[in-house]
Amino acid sequence: MSELLTTRQLTEILQVDRTTVYRMADQGRIPAVKVGNQWRFPRHQIETWLQSHGFAFGRPAEAPPNGDISPAIDINLQRLLPLDCVQLILDGFAELLGVMALITDLEGHAVSRPSNPCGYFLAAEQSPNAHKRCMQHWAKLAHMPSLMPRFQPSHLGLLCARGFIRAGNEIKGMLILGGIAPDVWPPSEAELHTIAADLGVDPSLISQHVQEVHHLSLQEQQA
């Protein structure tokens, strides 16, 4: 039988809090079994899950030779940001503004977990292509010529913007705000089918959650 990881072990591997692990297990977003009143996580399935996503919350998911599947994080940003504290601040900030927020490096690799993700984003996350497509879009934001945040449409049709994280005069990472519906929402049925095809998921999965998005007025977007 596959080794079962405890919740504590999984929080150390993913570098997220216990509540996040419970929520992911309850929502079926991560391989898990319930033993009595406690969640357990089959190690082999967790390794496969990490590899299928390409990155675990933006960190390389490939297990190193010693068998440790704990994903490495961006050392520069880790030294710059106390991630445990930053995550709590980011959670409160995202809920206050009514947006999704996360921190990435300049290559689009997520350093924090998404705070306040909308249901539409979570549905899309079930795609094995989701992390790759998000990273591509976030990396594109990093190379936009304007230093000022500007909301841009993503591969999901939602708006997102980035602000740079600096250490002195050096840009180290980005704060991404997203999950925001544009003025015309939802997309047409044809557009939803195109999005689903790009992600490799059933269009009905996208359609069921398409109204579960964040909304900001134009004035709020420009604030």
Side-chain angles (χ1 to χ4, degrees):
M1 182 177 177
S2 174
E3 176 189 354
L4 295 178
L5 300 173
T6 65
T7 302
R8 179 177 180 180
Q9 289 172 316
L10 194 59
T11 61
E12 293 173 353
I13 290 170
L14 299 183
Q15 298 187 9
V16 299
D17 58 36
R18 185 182 296 264
T19 301
T20 299
V21 171
Y22 288 153
R23 182 167 63 246
M24 293 172 70
D26 285 332
Q27 295 174 347
R29 294 170 52 206
I30 193 167
V33 293
K34 209 160 193 180
V35 181
N37 293 322
Q38 297 183 340
W39 285 107
R40 292 293 182 267
F41 308 89
R43 184 184 182 96
H44 177 71
Q45 292 183 35
I46 292 295
E47 290 175 345
T48 301
W49 180 82
L50 291 174
Q51 292 166 0
S52 72
H53 282 71
F55 285 81
F57 297 111
R59 307 173 181 89
E62 182 175 321
N66 64 5
D68 181 5
I69 64 173
S70 301
I73 68 174
D74 186 299
I75 299 299
N76 290 330
L77 279 178
Q78 182 189 29
R79 290 173 178 169
L80 178 64
L81 301 173
L83 290 179
D84 289 342
C85 295
V86 167
Q87 188 69 65
L88 292 174
I89 295 171
L90 200 61
D91 289 346
F93 174 74
E95 290 194 19
L96 179 64
L97 292 184
V99 299
M100 184 181 84
L102 76 156
I103 293 172
T104 77
D105 64 18
L106 297 177
E107 299 302 319
H109 300 155
V111 175
S112 72
R113 61 172 172 79
S115 296
N116 196 31
C118 63
Y120 179 63
F121 176 85
L122 293 177
E125 279 280 280
Q126 298 183 41
S127 159
N129 301 326
H131 283 277
K132 179 179 178 181
R133 296 292 285 115
C134 285
M135 285 167 48
Q136 289 172 340
H137 180 67
W138 295 332
K140 181 179 178 181
L141 292 178
H143 294 92
M144 288 178 57
S146 173
L147 294 178
M148 297 299 295
R150 293 179 56 191
F151 281 95
Q152 300 287 330
S154 72
H155 59 290
L156 297 176
L158 298 173
L159 299 179
C160 62
R162 61 96 178 101
F164 287 124
I165 298 171
R166 300 172 181 271
N169 293 324
E170 188 176 356
I171 297 175
K172 290 290 190 178
M174 298 183 291
L175 170 64
I176 305 289
L177 302 182
I180 302 161
D183 289 340
V184 179
W185 190 263
S188 67
E189 186 174 343
E191 290 171 325
L192 289 177
H193 275 74
T194 299
I195 292 170
D198 177 57
L199 293 173
V201 298
D202 191 311
S204 65
L205 175 65
I206 300 297
S207 299
Q208 289 170 10
H209 299 277
V210 72
Q211 297 291 0
E212 300 171 15
V213 294
H214 300 307
H215 294 273
L216 287 183
S217 67
L218 182 60
Q219 182 178 4
E220 289 171 326
Q221 292 178 29
Q222 294 173 343

